[in-house]
Amino acid sequence: MNNSVPAEPPLPERGRLPFTVKLAYGAGDLGAAITANVTAIYALVFFTNVAGLNPGLAGSVLLLGKIWDAVNDPIVGVLSDRTQSRWGRRYPWMIFGAIPFGLVFVLQWIVPQFDQWGLFWYYVLIGVLFNTFYTAVNLPYTALTPELTQDYDERTSLNSFRFTFSIGGSILSLILALGTFSLLKVPPAQQYLTLAIVAAIISVLPLYWCFFGTRRYAVLDSKSDDTASIPYFEQVRIAFTNGPFLFVVGIYLCSWLALQNTVAVIPYFVKEWMQLRQDQWFTAVIAMVQVVALATLFVWSLVSARVGKKGTYFMGMGLWILAQAGLFFLQPGQISLMFLLAVMAGFGVSTAYLVPWSMIPDVIELDELKTGQRREGIFYGYMVLLQKIGLAIGLFLVGQALQWSGFIKPTAELPVPVQPDSALLAIRLMIGPIPTVILLGGLILAYFYPLSREVHAEILLQLQARKEAERGGAE
C-alpha cells in the first residue's frame, strides 16, 4: 500500500507548526481526559455508594483491568508502529476506535441487578473492554508528537496545547458532574448514567477534529516495515535498556501515582475528615487544582524554554510537595486553607502533565540514533500504560486501605455513618505523607535525567548527518 502524502502545496520544515494544527492536535486528548477524570474521581464512590460493592472489591475492579493493560498497551503500541494505510500509522486507530470507545464508557455506569460477585465481574469485563478501546484511540494519538515536529521547544509547546485540552477536559468533566448532580433530580444511578452519556458524546467528536486538523502535517512514511521485523519482546528489551527512558518512566510514574492516589481519596477526605458532606465540595476542590493547572500550563511552557524541562519540573514539584504535605495537618473547618493548598498543588500538577510527556520524543530520537529505528508506539505504549497503572493502583490502594481500616460504607439504613478513628487516620495518611514521599522520589529521578537541550541538539545533528550519508549512498 502506498503511504506517501498526496501532492499538495509544500509544507513547512518539521519544526514550527501553525496554531490551527496545534489546536487540532490538542483536541485529540479531550475525550481521554474527560473519561479518565470521571473514572478517577467518581468510580470508587460509584461502586461503593451506588452499585453497592464493598470497598475491597471496588478497589480491585480497576486494578484487574490494568493487568490486562499490561498486555494490551504495548501490543497496541507495536501494532500502531506496524500499521500501514493511506492515513499513516496512527490515524486508523483513532478513526475506527472512537465510537466503540464512547459506547463502552457508558456501559461502565450501568448498575445491573446482580449480587456482589456478579457486579464485580460485570465491571471487570466492561473495564477490560473500555481500557482496550481507550488504548486504541489514545496511544496512537500520543505517538503523533514526534511525527509532527522535531523541534525541542516546539514539542513542549505542542504538549502545552495537548494538556490545555487535557486539563480543560478534566475541568469540563467536573462542570458536567456538578450540573448533573445539582440539576437532575433523579436517583444517583440515573445521574451517573446521564453524566456518562453526555461525557461519551463530547469525548468522541474531538478525535475526528484531531485527524482532519493534523493529518497533512504528520510524517506518514516512517520506518514501520523495519520495526515490524523486530520481535515484540526484543522491542521491549530495547525500550527498557534506554537509560533516559527509564528516568522518564520513573518521573512520570511518581507524579501520576501521587496525583491519582490523591484524586481517589479526596472525596473521602473532604466528606469524612473535613465534614463537608455534599459532593459539590470535593468536586470544587478538584476543580480548583485543575483550573490552576490549566491557567499555569503555558506559563510553565515559557519557563521551560528558558530554564529547561528539568528546572521547570523542580519548581513545580516544590510547590506541590508543600501542598501535599500540608493536607495531613489540615483540620475540619479550615476551608480557606484547604483551597489555598489546592491552588499550590495546581502549580505542580501542571508541570507533572507537561514535562514528562515533553521528554519522551527526545528519548525516542536517542533510540533512533542507537538503533536506526523509530518506535514511537512502544515508548508511548508504556507511558500510557503507566498512566493507567497509576490510576488503578491509586484506586486499589484507597479501596484496600478503607477496607483494612474499618471504613463503614453508607447504606439506606445508615446514609451518613460515623467513621472510626482508624479509617480517618488512613484517609489522612493517603492524602498527605504517602503522596509526598512518592513525589520526592520523582524529584530525585529528575535530578539525574541526562537529556538536556544541548544533548538533544547533538542527537539531532547526528541523525541529520546519518540521513544525509544514506541519501548520498543511495545516489
Side-chain angles (χ1 to χ4, degrees), residues 322-438:
L322 289 174
Q324 202 78 51
L327 287 171
F328 179 77
F329 300 101
L330 201 65
Q331 297 298 311
Q334 295 179 322
I335 299 174
S336 297
L337 183 56
M338 178 178 68
F339 280 100
L340 176 61
L341 293 174
V343 169
M344 291 174 61
F347 278 88
V349 168
S350 186
T351 60
Y353 277 103
L354 181 63
V355 174
W357 284 103
S358 299
M359 291 174 169
I360 278 291
D362 309 335
V363 167
I364 290 170
E365 273 148 2
L366 176 63
D367 176 69
E368 181 183 6
L369 181 64
K370 291 180 176 180
T371 67
Q373 309 287 332
R374 286 194 68 86
R375 280 181 292 268
E376 291 93 340
I378 191 81
F379 288 100
Y380 279 97
Y382 280 103
M383 286 292 281
V384 173
L385 170 61
L386 288 170
Q387 180 181 11
K388 290 186 282 188
I389 284 178
L391 169 62
I393 292 176
L395 292 172
F396 175 76
L397 291 178
V398 171
Q400 295 302 314
L402 291 174
Q403 182 93 350
W404 296 334
S405 65
F407 177 83
I408 304 171
K409 70 176 183 179
T411 62
E413 296 77 19
L414 190 63
V416 186
V418 177
Q419 300 298 337
D421 291 341
S422 56
L424 294 176
L425 178 60
I427 290 169
R428 294 173 65 208
L429 288 173
M430 286 186 294
I431 206 167
I434 293 174
T436 299
V437 171
I438 295 171

Side-chain angles (χ1 to χ4, degrees), residues 151-343:
D151 184 87
Y152 181 88
D153 292 318
E154 190 72 352
R155 284 171 173 173
T156 303
S157 174
L158 194 62
N159 275 290
S160 297
F161 280 82
R162 174 189 169 188
F163 290 117
T164 296
F165 278 91
S166 180
I167 299 173
S170 298
I171 296 170
L172 177 59
S173 71
L174 297 174
I175 294 172
L176 292 174
L178 282 171
T180 302
F181 298 147
S182 300
L183 302 177
L184 198 60
K185 305 303 181 184
V186 295
Q190 295 180 30
Q191 290 179 335
Y192 278 101
L193 183 58
T194 302
L195 172 63
I197 293 171
V198 175
I201 294 171
I202 297 174
S203 296
V204 167
L205 296 178
L207 288 164
Y208 294 102
W209 177 13
C210 177
F211 165 64
F212 288 111
T214 65
R215 60 175 178 166
R216 183 170 168 251
Y217 285 80
V219 175
L220 302 183
D221 57 351
S222 298
K223 300 177 182 178
S224 56
D225 289 341
D226 295 336
T227 301
S229 65
I230 301 177
Y232 167 72
F233 287 107
E234 177 64 13
Q235 293 200 37
V236 174
R237 186 194 67 78
I238 292 173
F240 280 90
T241 54
N242 184 314
F245 177 64
L246 296 182
F247 278 100
V248 176
V249 164
I251 292 166
Y252 186 63
L253 184 57
C254 287
S255 303
W256 201 252
L257 180 56
L259 177 62
Q260 295 305 329
N261 181 86
T262 303
V263 167
V265 79
I266 275 181
Y268 300 96
F269 179 79
V270 173
K271 284 187 172 186
E272 308 299 343
W273 177 249
M274 299 298 292
Q275 297 295 303
L276 302 171
R277 298 291 181 181
Q278 294 181 327
D279 288 355
Q280 287 86 338
W281 279 106
F282 76 77
T283 302
V285 172
I286 298 171
M288 179 64 73
V289 175
Q290 298 286 7
V291 167
V292 174
L294 176 61
T296 57
L297 197 60
F298 285 94
V299 175
W300 287 125
S301 181
L302 294 174
V303 171
S304 178
R306 295 181 64 88
V307 305
K309 297 170 185 177
K310 185 188 296 188
T312 302
Y313 187 79
F314 266 81
M315 295 166 67
M317 287 302 106
L319 289 170
W320 188 5
I321 287 171
L322 289 174
Q324 202 78 51
L327 287 171
F328 179 77
F329 300 101
L330 201 65
Q331 297 298 311
Q334 295 179 322
I335 299 174
S336 297
L337 183 56
M338 178 178 68
F339 280 100
L340 176 61
L341 293 174
V343 169

Side-chain angles (χ1 to χ4, degrees), residues 87 89-95 144 210-211 214-215 218 220:
W87 298 312
R89 298 186 288 172
R90 317 298 175 191
Y91 291 120
W93 294 83
M94 298 165 60
I95 294 168
L144 282 174
C210 177
F211 165 64
T214 65
R215 60 175 178 166
L220 302 183

